[in-house]
Amino acid sequence: MDNKYTTVIIPAAGKGKRMGAQISKQYLEIGDKPIIVHTIEKFDQSLLIHEIIVVTSKEEMGYFKEEILSKYHFNTPIKIVAGGNERQESVYNGLKNISPKAEIILIHDGARPFISKEEIEKSIEGAKVYGACVLGVRVKDTIKICNEEGYVESTPRRESLWAVQTPQSFQTSIIMEAHRKAAEEHFLGTDDATLAERLGYPIKIIEGSYENIKITTPDDLTIGEAILRKSL
Amino acid sequence: MDNKYTTVIIPAAGKGKRMGAQISKQYLEIGDKPIIVHTIEKFDQSLLIHEIIVVTSKEEMGYFKEEILSKYHFNTPIKIVAGGNERQESVYNGLKNISPKAEIILIHDGARPFISKEEIEKSIEGAKVYGACVLGVRVKDTIKICNEEGYVESTPRRESLWAVQTPQSFQTSIIMEAHRKAAEEHFLGTDDATLAERLGYPIKIIEGSYENIKITTPDDLTIGEAILRKSL
């Protein structure tokens, strides 16, 4: 496959409130390493990734340099960028700092440490072929759409539902335009693909794995330890 | 609260294929008891439940009697009913065997052992007030509705999405009519509420907890053990 210059943006500015922890949840440990280190390592180990941009909060840039960058060794060039108030703003700050050579952009979560080599490859390939793609898994629960009073409005067919994860992957021009327009128009989406969707770009789902969880609550740490033990 | 005769129907006929196990997943153990025993105990301990109907596959009725009923002691009257080919048919078989006194029907899953006393009470109260209600939790993932080619069609607003669980709870006449019509018209829904929804009955969401998980895959067993340890 032809090797386009590929950048991954990893926002790692989440406050970890739901963890009851003082530090951002990405710095909590699974196994014997911070979650963010597991996450970065996955991309660092991929030969298809040329640049890693980590977006942290302004206050935690120093912590990140001392506790992560100076203690762990990565081979891929890493840039640290200060984030904004919202995740979306943080990603946009990351986008403004990519290499001029970047043709493919992956946007991942710092708190998704179980992304696999194969899923990274599928994401890059998907961006090349489709322009925009997101990793996702089929929804197992029955989902109901409800009104504000808590009454069911409809039950979408389960076969049509996907829970999307990251990486969300794009050709550079598409995601740049999507974020620029969203910023100009003060549109806030729940994920990056939504910003491209609203401009009419087709988004392809790439089937991923249920193990690619986001570590958000203390329960997720327990699950994370179990996934890690299994994969060792 | 006025104490209407309340029956819980617990389908426990699932084959456990995804567990890679020979016996149905409900008979696997968490802590030192089969999952189905944890589940039945929760309803047995509620003073608001007057009757428990367990629906097993025809082949496992003997196993259930020997391994569960003769080894564990429950105070609430328990009836065992043979299930059908589909979960929906199993529930309907259960409904045909309820006490003539039953005014409120709860339909639960044999593989959801972490239902709490409070959630059972809220479910019964909800059925009295609203006619039909389902326990559910807010969806944390971004969900996308996709077409058959795997392209995103829309991203419903996350605030409107609920992942529904069980119990799903009903006034007897509503759920009886819903199942009878579905059977006559060969309509198969992903959950019991859908059968009432299609007849135009309003369904109210009752907010539950993320711990009320369904044990479906081996990973869920690990999570289940963690939830159990926490609650002891």
Side-chain angles (χ1 to χ4, degrees):
Chain A
M1 111 171 136
D2 90 292
N3 203 359
K4 289 184 192 281
Y5 191 101
T6 300
T7 297
V8 60
I9 295 174
I10 304 177
K15 281 294 178 295
K17 269 174 262 169
R18 281 186 280 183
M19 282 293 184
Q22 288 302 314
I23 54 167
S24 287
K25 57 182 184 264
Q26 293 86 352
Y27 301 112
L28 298 176
E29 296 200 348
I30 298 188
D32 56 353
K33 272 183 294 201
I35 293 169
I36 186 70
V37 174
H38 288 282
T39 307
I40 295 173
E41 278 180 351
K42 298 293 165 50
F43 291 94
D44 187 45
Q45 284 156 12
S46 170
L47 296 177
L48 303 178
I49 299 289
H50 302 89
E51 174 183 50
I52 297 171
I53 295 183
V54 177
V55 190
T56 76
S57 67
K58 231 176 255 171
E59 300 74 33
E60 290 187 335
M61 285 182 89
Y63 183 89
F64 184 84
K65 284 179 196 167
E66 278 161 45
E67 295 301 318
I68 307 296
L69 276 196
S70 69
K71 292 195 179 166
Y72 298 89
H73 176 70
F74 305 111
N75 294 304
T76 315
I78 297 192
K79 204 178 280 178
I80 314 171
V81 170
N85 289 323
E86 299 281 347
R87 180 186 175 285
Q88 186 172 314
E89 200 188 329
S90 294
V91 172
Y92 195 26
N93 285 357
L95 281 169
K96 290 171 185 162
N97 283 279
I98 58 171
S99 159
K101 286 182 287 182
E103 291 184 86
I104 302 289
I105 308 288
L106 270 52
I107 301 171
H108 192 61
D109 285 318
R112 285 197 198 264
F114 301 114
I115 181 71
S116 72
K117 184 168 174 285
E118 290 70 30
E119 286 153 13
I120 293 172
E121 287 173 5
K122 281 161 82 174
S123 296
I124 296 171
E125 189 57 26
K128 286 180 193 165
V129 174
Y130 303 107
C133 67
V134 299
L135 215 54
V137 290
R138 289 174 188 282
V139 171
K140 290 191 268 186
D141 297 324
T142 296
I143 303 288
K144 294 190 186 279
I145 299 183
C146 299
N147 64 20
E148 284 173 16
E149 284 75 42
Y151 285 98
V152 174
E153 288 193 330
S154 64
T155 305
R157 288 185 319 107
R158 189 159 55 192
E159 304 79 56
S160 67
L161 299 180
W162 291 79
V164 300
Q165 307 170 336
T166 64
Q168 302 201 338
S169 310
F170 307 89
Q171 292 172 12
T172 302
S173 57
I174 294 176
I175 193 62
M176 277 297 194
E177 179 192 359
H179 265 275
R180 198 188 62 243
K181 290 223 168 132
E184 282 169 12
E185 295 161 18
H186 303 288
F187 175 87
L188 211 58
T190 53
D191 66 340
D192 298 287
T194 304
L195 310 188
E197 262 169 81
R198 67 192 279 273
L199 302 186
Y201 287 106
I203 313 289
K204 180 82 162 122
I205 300 277
I206 304 287
E207 187 154 10
S209 117
Y210 292 100
E211 292 196 355
N212 182 23
I213 61 168
K214 188 167 174 177
I215 309 284
T216 306
T217 63
D219 284 353
D220 297 329
L221 276 180
T222 310
I223 300 168
E225 293 280 355
I227 294 174
L228 194 67
R229 274 196 303 275
K230 217 183 75 182
S231 66
L232 288 180
Chain B
M1 109 172 141
D2 91 290
N3 202 357
K4 290 183 190 281
Y5 191 101
T6 300
T7 297
V8 59
I9 295 174
I10 305 177
K15 282 293 180 293
K17 268 174 263 168
R18 279 185 282 182
M19 282 291 184
Q22 288 301 311
I23 55 167
S24 287
K25 57 182 184 264
Q26 293 85 351
Y27 301 113
L28 298 176
E29 296 198 349
I30 298 188
D32 56 352
K33 274 183 292 202
I35 293 168
I36 186 71
V37 173
H38 289 281
T39 307
I40 295 173
E41 279 179 351
K42 298 291 165 52
F43 292 94
D44 188 45
Q45 284 156 11
S46 170
L47 296 176
L48 303 178
I49 298 291
H50 302 88
E51 175 184 50
I52 296 171
I53 295 183
V54 177
V55 190
T56 76
S57 67
K58 231 175 253 169
E59 301 74 34
E60 290 187 334
M61 287 181 89
Y63 182 89
F64 184 83
K65 284 179 195 166
E66 280 162 44
E67 295 300 318
I68 307 296
L69 276 195
S70 69
K71 292 196 180 164
Y72 297 89
H73 176 68
F74 304 111
N75 294 303
T76 314
I78 297 193
K79 204 179 276 175
I80 315 171
V81 169
N85 289 324
E86 299 281 349
R87 180 188 175 282
Q88 188 172 316
E89 200 188 329
S90 294
V91 172
Y92 194 27
N93 285 357
L95 281 169
K96 289 172 185 161
N97 283 279
I98 58 171
S99 159
K101 288 183 285 182
E103 291 183 84
I104 301 290
I105 308 288
L106 269 54
I107 302 170
H108 193 60
D109 285 319
R112 283 197 200 265
F114 301 114
I115 181 71
S116 73
K117 185 169 172 287
E118 291 69 32
E119 286 154 13
I120 293 172
E121 286 172 6
K122 280 161 84 174
S123 297
I124 295 171
E125 190 57 26
K128 285 180 192 164
V129 175
Y130 304 107
C133 67
V134 300
L135 215 55
V137 290
R138 290 174 187 280
V139 171
K140 290 189 269 186
D141 297 325
T142 296
I143 303 288
K144 293 189 185 278
I145 299 182
C146 299
N147 65 20
E148 285 173 16
E149 284 75 42
Y151 284 98
V152 174
E153 288 193 330
S154 64
T155 305
R157 286 185 318 110
R158 190 159 58 189
E159 304 80 57
S160 68
L161 298 180
W162 291 79
V164 300
Q165 308 170 336
T166 64
Q168 302 202 340
S169 310
F170 307 90
Q171 292 172 11
T172 303
S173 57
I174 294 175
I175 194 62
M176 277 296 194
E177 181 193 358
H179 266 275
R180 197 187 64 244
K181 290 222 170 131
E184 282 168 13
E185 295 160 18
H186 304 288
F187 175 87
L188 212 59
T190 53
D191 67 340
D192 297 287
T194 304
L195 310 188
E197 259 169 83
R198 67 192 278 274
L199 303 185
Y201 287 106
I203 313 289
K204 179 81 163 127
I205 300 276
I206 305 287
E207 187 154 10
S209 114
Y210 293 101
E211 291 197 353
N212 182 22
I213 60 167
K214 188 167 177 178
I215 309 283
T216 306
T217 62
D219 284 351
D220 297 329
L221 277 180
T222 310
I223 300 167
E225 293 280 356
I227 293 174
L228 195 67
R229 273 195 305 273
K230 216 182 75 180
S231 66
L232 289 181

